[in-house]
Amino acid sequence: MRRHELSIGVGCGANQADHDTPSRPNEKPQIAYYWNDGDCFDLIGNSYIYLNMEYHYRINRKWEMGGLVTWGISNENYFGNYTTEEIKTTADWDLMGNISRYESCRYFTVMPSVRYTWYESDLARVYSRGAIGLMRHHITSHTEDYAPIESETVKRKVVIEDEDRVKYGMAYHITVLGVRLGKDWLGAFGEIGYGCLGVVRVGLNVCF
């Protein structure tokens, strides 16, 4: 039995950091139209994607202890049109308010991790995991708000807001089901869970 395991993986899907990420710019109670905008080279989109590295030591056939680090990134661009109580029935887009927001989010986590093996054969191993630690979440954004106007002769007031916020908090992850395929020292794995590692995670690992 090889006792040391080093892994590197990538993942995506619903993420713990989503709760700290604003879902839309300057919540407007009279939002009429709202949509996300994908730039030509915006390969990341609204979901977090991340890179993860971890190390575990096998205490015995069932239990492993170790730690992991994770880097995640998400970019969002979205736009909306809204009205006010004074112009709430308008169908004229030229008289509606316009709002746009460009947002970039990054997070970094460090966590100790414990894994439990449910089943193991020569070619496969099935396990679950629990981890808890520290997260650093960095959010930057730029918002432009063009207020509604009652006539074409009234100029709009433009409100521009920039945000640069760093938040520290607890990080966690639960792997409901993890499967490693491989013989001896080299293998591939896939996981399903929830937390700072997203819903789906795949990668490679080596045992020594």
Side-chain angles (χ1 to χ4, degrees):
M1 179 180 68
R2 296 179 183 269
R3 293 187 176 273
H4 306 274
E5 182 178 295
L6 185 63
S7 304
I8 182 169
V10 295
C12 62
N15 193 292
Q16 173 197 352
D18 293 341
H19 301 299
D20 291 333
T21 304
S23 60
R24 62 171 52 185
N26 295 351
E27 291 286 348
K28 297 291 183 181
Q30 296 87 28
I31 285 283
Y33 304 95
Y34 176 80
W35 65 91
N36 287 65
D37 176 71
D39 295 333
C40 294
F41 299 99
D42 184 9
L43 302 179
I44 298 173
N46 298 341
S47 299
Y48 279 87
I49 64 171
Y50 66 85
L51 174 68
N52 160 259
M53 293 184 64
E54 63 182 64
Y55 165 81
H56 284 88
Y57 175 78
R58 299 196 70 175
I59 301 172
N60 52 45
R61 289 285 181 182
K62 293 295 184 180
W63 291 99
E64 301 170 75
M65 296 188 64
L68 59 92
V69 292
T70 308
W71 300 267
I73 182 173
S74 172
N75 289 330
E76 296 187 29
N77 301 324
Y78 40 84
F79 301 87
N81 296 97
Y82 66 93
T83 62
T84 63
E85 289 297 331
E86 293 77 14
I87 327 174
K88 63 182 179 181
T89 59
T90 184
D92 188 347
W93 281 41
D94 291 333
L95 301 182
M96 298 179 71
N98 307 115
I99 190 167
S100 61
R101 183 180 177 95
Y102 308 90
E103 187 173 87
S104 177
C105 305
R106 309 284 190 275
Y107 76 87
F108 174 75
T109 67
V110 179
M111 297 187 293
S113 170
V114 176
R115 298 198 308 199
Y116 180 82
T117 297
W118 299 97
Y119 168 81
E120 185 173 16
S121 67
D122 290 341
L123 296 177
R125 179 155 54 95
V126 180
Y127 59 90
S128 297
R129 172 237 298 286
I132 188 170
L134 177 67
M135 172 184 288
R136 181 185 187 273
H137 196 194
H138 187 192
I139 299 174
T140 59
S141 66
H142 176 77
T143 303
E144 298 180 1
D145 187 346
Y146 296 79
I149 56 177
E150 299 182 9
S151 70
E152 295 181 359
T153 60
V154 179
K155 290 186 177 181
R156 285 180 173 175
K157 179 182 179 181
V158 181
V159 179
I160 298 179
E161 298 178 351
D162 291 298
E163 179 185 20
D164 190 335
R165 175 166 58 95
V166 175
K167 179 180 179 179
Y168 291 88
M170 183 184 71
Y172 65 88
H173 189 81
I174 297 175
T175 298
V176 178
L177 178 65
V179 178
R180 180 188 188 270
L181 300 176
K183 191 172 183 179
D184 199 28
W185 67 278
L186 181 63
F189 66 86
E191 295 182 357
I192 297 176
Y194 183 75
C196 67
L197 298 182
V199 174
V200 179
R201 174 175 176 256
V202 295
L204 299 173
N205 53 28
V206 293
C207 298
F208 54 96

